[in-house]
Amino acid sequence: MLLFTLDANRMLVDLERSVRTDLQLASAPIIEQIRNWQRQIWETATDFSQLKAESLTEAQLITALEQNVLIDGLWVLDSKLRFLTQATNNPDVSLSLQSRSQLELRENQPNQLQSWRIVAIPKAKTGDEHQLWLVRPLTQGLESTGFLIAHLRFDRFMDALTSPVKIYDQAVGAVLVNENQQVVGSLNPAYEPQDIFQLQQPKVWVRQLGADSTKFYQVLTNDPVRPPMVRARQSTYWLDSILPGNLGWHLWISFPAQPHMDDLQVAYNQRFGIVMLVVYGSMLAAYWVSKALVKPLQILAKITTDLPDRVNDHQEVDWPQSPVQEFDQLSTNGQLMAESLRERFLEIHQANEQLEQRVTERTEDLEATLSQLKQTQTQLVQTEKMSSLGGLVAGVAHEINNPINFIAGNLTHAEEYVQSLLKAMNLFDTFYPDPEPTLREALEELELDFLVEDLPKTFQSMQLGARRVQDIVQSLRTFSRIDRAELQTFDLHEGIDSTLIILQNRLKGRSDRLAIEVIKQYGPLPLVECYGGHLNQVFMNLLVNAIDAIDLRDAGRTLADMRQHPSRIEITTATLNQQLVIVRFRDNGPGMPPEVRDQIFEPFFTTKPTGKGTGLGLSISYQVIVEQHGGALTCQSSPDWGTEFYIELPIRGSSKPQNAAQPGPRSTAAV
């Protein structure tokens, strides 16, 4: 029966492989027909894509219709969605307001080019035909001039969905689905254009049979009352194929499982009959053989019943002798078995000792894991503190932002009013050069000439201070942004600049140290999908560590030495392979020896004095870059060269990979 079960499973696997091959053969011509259909339509649309909408004429549209039988109507709209010209060879086809709304046309915005698409519109009433439309923006350089709307012949499209290959003399069902899982065209009556296509339905169980580029499924009714064979016979096989091109379309081919299951049932019945004959014959032969051997075996069974206990207690066993060769052989085998049991019992005792040793080792591993969990808990607490601090900073920045905006906005008006007053004073001096003595004395006490000269400078200083406060507030708001759960597009340059503004007080010069020079070598970067607030914290950690290292080195240098060899931090950004962005932070500080560099990403490792560092900054930074974003964070450092941190981030964000590396020592050659 085991062999029969294994053979049945093999037959089922062969059946599924055969069905998949049949569906692939049936889908291949459909894919080729759809590819040719797309290519012919694309060639016609491309002929007009680089022309201005206003320059297209009805004659050009008529010529295009004559050359392409897949299109029976063309319309040209300007960028404001106004009709310019049209041509059609089907009087029943028109671009109505309802059709335009279903095509989701919208006016072009500057520097926002729309992509071309094919839209399926279901029939409005019984007897009508489904409609298929092509929407192709017309562009001149980077400027959109309008739209080319083409009505595609649905009958020709359905011909392309029909496969010449049949299975069991039956046509396969084909459903074409766009990138939004909406049905574009269907030979399956269960699906209409613009329906949302999904195999998973109530009371239905979807079984996936493949996991490569062409996915293979079996859809069964989820009815526990019906036998499995009945549910399998009533099931349907589906094959999903990704169509070539940039439309993101999928072709779903379906075929009922009943013809294949009928063949499988016939094969099952044949094999089951053979198995039953073999079983009945074996039972009969076993009966006669057991009858001839049962008596001598009973004698030997009494001896071997307590054999394990005797062997374990080291007792002697008297094995019987017999003139029957087979029985004597069994007795000899029993003696060998007893000897084998002695060896096995000895191995078991040794295994128990090894097991106890392994339990001890595992206990030590669990204790190490518990210690690591405690470290992780401490890191989470530190992260939560930073998140709370970020929220507090964001709130304070918001509260400061409103009054400073009020002050900055009114300074302009106040300056205009003062200029008007100064102009009035000049006119007064012009027309009344000799005022009354009392007024002259009052003006001299006020030092009017000094006020006229110094007041504009005062306003300029106030405006400069207000702008400085606005920049700081904006930097605080950018740095302390609270991320949503999903990834967001983020400007890395903006995050770095905001961090530098916050750290400006530490970068500028002091009485005992010159200012730290920041050299920014920014390359063109796209917006990156990431958690912006977490990356800002990484930038803050790296820059603070660089400043601390430079301060430590400069504490033992003179001002003359600092002028000759100034301290600097270089920040470089660039794009790598159109898929990654790199950010490098390099300082010319004292650097680190290899034994320190190899531990900087370990939790709680710090070289700072007690109370000035938790040892979590670089560990958390490593987790943010590597585990949260799927990037890379490495360090190159030596005492004679300084320190450089190298960051790689994917442009399209990673969603917290499960197999992310744990923090550990990292080093690499300078890039």
Side-chain angles (χ1 to χ4, degrees):
M1 293 303 293
L2 176 61
L3 294 177
F4 174 73
T5 303
L6 294 176
D7 186 60
N9 291 334
R10 181 189 60 78
M11 293 173 59
L12 181 59
V13 172
D14 292 341
L15 169 68
E16 294 172 350
R17 186 182 296 112
S18 175
V19 173
R20 177 172 181 170
T21 302
D22 292 341
L23 291 180
Q24 287 177 338
L25 292 176
S27 64
I30 297 179
I31 294 174
E32 183 63 26
Q33 291 166 179
I34 293 295
R35 181 190 290 113
N36 294 333
W37 178 82
Q38 290 180 354
R39 178 179 53 79
Q40 296 179 41
I41 293 174
W42 178 249
E43 289 176 354
T44 300
T46 305
D47 291 340
F48 299 105
S49 62
Q50 297 297 325
L51 300 178
K52 286 188 176 181
E54 293 82 358
S55 65
L56 294 178
T57 63
E58 182 179 359
Q60 291 176 302
L61 301 183
I62 293 174
T63 302
L65 292 177
E66 293 174 351
Q67 295 176 351
N68 195 335
V69 297
L70 301 179
I71 303 175
D72 57 3
L74 291 169
W75 290 261
V76 179
L77 283 66
D78 63 10
S79 59
K80 299 298 183 181
L81 306 182
R82 294 173 298 197
F83 278 105
L84 296 178
T85 183
Q86 65 180 24
T88 178
N89 51 19
N90 187 349
D92 296 331
V93 176
S94 64
L95 183 60
S96 61
L97 291 176
Q98 182 180 2
S99 298
R100 291 170 60 186
S101 63
Q102 291 176 314
L103 293 179
E104 299 180 356
L105 296 176
R106 66 181 187 275
E107 296 183 9
N108 282 317
Q109 301 296 328
N111 300 323
Q112 293 185 2
L113 299 180
Q114 304 180 38
S115 60
W116 74 287
R117 61 188 184 277
I118 295 178
V119 182
I121 299 178
K123 57 186 178 182
K125 57 184 179 180
T126 304
D128 290 349
E129 190 179 55
H130 301 301
Q131 297 187 28
L132 207 60
W133 296 84
L134 168 69
V135 179
R136 181 65 167 90
L138 301 176
T139 60
Q140 192 80 23
L142 296 178
E143 179 182 359
S144 177
T145 62
F147 297 91
L148 175 67
I149 312 298
H151 183 270
L152 310 179
R153 292 184 58 179
F154 197 78
D155 56 343
R156 292 301 185 96
F157 173 68
M158 296 304 293
D159 291 341
L161 276 181
T162 304
S163 175
V165 179
K166 294 185 178 181
I167 305 175
Y168 287 94
D169 294 330
Q170 297 183 31
V172 298
V175 180
L176 194 61
V177 181
N178 64 14
E179 72 280 3
N180 297 322
Q181 298 301 313
Q182 290 181 323
V183 176
V184 179
S186 172
L187 295 178
N188 192 322
Y191 296 96
E192 295 289 339
Q194 283 198 344
D195 287 350
I196 300 299
F197 179 82
Q198 55 182 1
L199 294 181
Q200 189 66 51
Q201 301 289 343
K203 297 182 179 180
V204 165
W205 176 43
V206 179
R207 177 169 168 254
Q208 183 172 353
L209 305 176
D212 53 6
S213 59
T214 55
K215 296 183 179 179
F216 185 39
Y217 304 89
Q218 184 182 16
V219 180
L220 307 98
T221 57
N222 193 9
D223 188 356
V225 178
R226 298 181 182 179
M229 195 64 186
V230 175
R231 287 189 290 166
R233 187 187 301 274
Q234 297 175 352
S235 66
T236 304
Y237 288 105
W238 288 85
L239 180 69
D240 175 19
S241 300
I242 301 176
L243 294 182
N246 56 0
L247 288 177
W249 285 7
H250 287 245
L251 176 64
W252 290 84
I253 301 296
S254 64
F255 192 79
Q258 182 174 356
H260 299 279
M261 290 299 172
D262 291 341
D263 292 345
L264 183 63
Q265 185 67 50
V266 172
Y268 277 172
N269 293 339
Q270 293 175 350
R271 283 166 171 76
F272 185 74
I274 296 173
V275 170
M276 293 305 299
L277 289 176
V278 173
V279 169
Y280 288 142
S282 300
M283 292 175 62
L284 183 61
Y287 172 75
W288 291 107
V289 172
S290 63
K291 187 176 181 180
L293 298 178
V294 66
K295 288 184 178 180
L297 287 178
Q298 286 177 347
I299 298 173
L300 189 59
K302 292 180 180 179
I303 298 176
T304 57
T305 300
D306 57 350
L307 180 61
D309 294 334
R310 291 186 177 187
V311 171
N312 192 32
D313 295 338
H314 304 286
Q315 298 179 8
E316 294 294 332
V317 179
D318 295 331
W319 295 96
Q321 302 294 325
S322 173
V324 179
Q325 183 178 359
E326 290 78 4
F327 186 82
D328 190 57
Q329 184 65 37
L330 288 176
S331 179
T332 302
N333 292 339
Q335 297 177 27
L336 296 176
M337 182 177 64
E339 185 64 26
S340 178
L341 283 175
R342 291 188 184 93
E343 296 177 356
R344 295 296 180 272
F345 282 136
L346 179 60
E347 293 177 357
I348 290 175
H349 290 310
Q350 294 176 352
N352 287 335
E353 294 177 356
Q354 294 178 358
L355 181 60
E356 292 177 357
Q357 182 179 359
R358 291 180 181 178
V359 169
T360 303
E361 294 175 353
R362 183 58 58 87
T363 302
E364 295 175 354
D365 293 341
L366 290 176
E367 292 177 352
T369 303
L370 178 60
S371 176
Q372 183 177 2
L373 288 175
K374 291 181 179 179
Q375 294 178 0
T376 303
Q377 181 183 14
T378 305
Q379 293 176 350
L380 291 175
V381 171
Q382 181 71 10
T383 303
E384 185 63 25
K385 288 181 179 179
M386 294 305 301
S387 178
S388 302
L389 181 59
L392 177 62
V393 171
V396 173
H398 178 72
E399 294 299 327
I400 297 175
N401 189 52
N402 290 333
I404 197 62
N405 285 339
F406 173 78
I407 294 172
N410 286 304
L411 278 176
T412 302
H413 299 295
E415 185 178 12
E416 292 177 357
Y417 300 156
V418 170
Q419 291 295 337
S420 298
L421 289 175
L422 294 177
K423 184 177 180 181
M425 290 296 298
N426 290 334
L427 292 175
F428 180 81
D429 290 340
T430 301
F431 291 101
Y432 298 98
D434 297 321
E436 293 293 332
T438 304
L439 180 58
R440 182 183 298 108
E441 293 177 359
L443 294 176
E444 290 176 353
E445 292 178 358
L446 292 175
E447 297 182 356
L448 183 60
D449 293 339
F450 174 75
L451 292 178
V452 171
E453 179 183 356
D454 189 61
L455 193 56
K457 297 179 181 179
T458 302
F459 272 100
Q460 291 178 358
S461 177
M462 294 170 65
Q463 289 178 339
L464 180 62
R467 283 195 297 270
R468 173 63 177 163
V469 173
Q470 287 178 321
D471 291 342
I472 294 175
V473 169
Q474 181 61 36
S475 298
L476 287 174
R477 297 178 64 184
T478 301
F479 177 81
S480 61
R481 58 191 298 173
I482 301 176
D483 294 316
R484 298 189 297 268
E486 69 277 4
L487 297 172
Q488 307 173 47
T489 57
F490 181 61
D491 186 349
L492 296 182
H493 291 163
E494 181 183 359
I496 296 173
D497 291 340
S498 65
T499 306
L500 289 173
I501 291 177
I502 294 174
L503 295 175
Q504 189 62 39
N505 184 59
R506 297 202 58 189
L507 293 170
K508 66 183 182 180
R510 303 192 302 265
S511 60
D512 59 340
R513 177 181 62 79
L514 299 180
I516 299 175
E517 180 183 3
V518 177
I519 301 175
K520 295 186 289 186
Q521 299 176 353
Y522 287 171
L525 292 186
L527 296 180
V528 177
E529 291 184 0
C530 62
Y531 300 92
H534 295 180
L535 287 185
N536 284 339
Q537 185 59 45
V538 172
F539 299 153
M540 173 69 76
N541 291 338
L542 298 181
L543 288 171
V544 167
N545 285 343
I547 295 173
D548 289 343
I550 291 175
D551 283 346
L552 180 63
R553 192 269 312 274
D554 288 350
R557 296 204 302 168
T558 63
L559 293 177
D561 188 18
M562 295 180 192
R563 292 189 184 96
Q564 185 176 2
H565 303 285
S567 301
R568 64 170 59 92
I569 297 175
E570 298 179 6
I571 305 174
T572 306
T573 63
T575 304
L576 183 63
N577 297 331
Q578 303 299 321
Q579 297 178 353
L580 299 172
V581 296
I582 60 174
V583 183
R584 297 189 298 181
F585 294 87
R586 181 188 175 188
D587 64 75
N588 61 349
M592 295 176 286
E595 59 272 13
V596 174
R597 180 196 61 199
D598 293 342
Q599 302 181 69
I600 58 174
F601 294 118
E602 297 291 344
F604 306 108
F605 177 79
T606 179
T607 59
K608 298 178 181 179
T610 304
K612 291 190 177 182
T614 63
L616 293 175
L618 290 179
S619 174
I620 294 175
S621 299
Y622 186 88
Q623 291 178 340
V624 169
I625 298 298
V626 177
E627 299 182 20
Q628 191 177 53
H629 291 86
L633 174 60
T634 57
C635 175
Q636 169 68 17
S637 181
S638 64
D640 299 330
W641 185 74
T643 301
E644 179 182 81
F645 285 91
Y646 178 87
I647 299 174
E648 284 187 6
L649 287 172
I651 296 176
R652 297 185 62 83
S654 172
S655 181
K656 295 183 180 180
Q658 295 297 323
N659 296 326
Q662 295 299 322
R666 294 293 185 271
S667 64
T668 183
V671 179

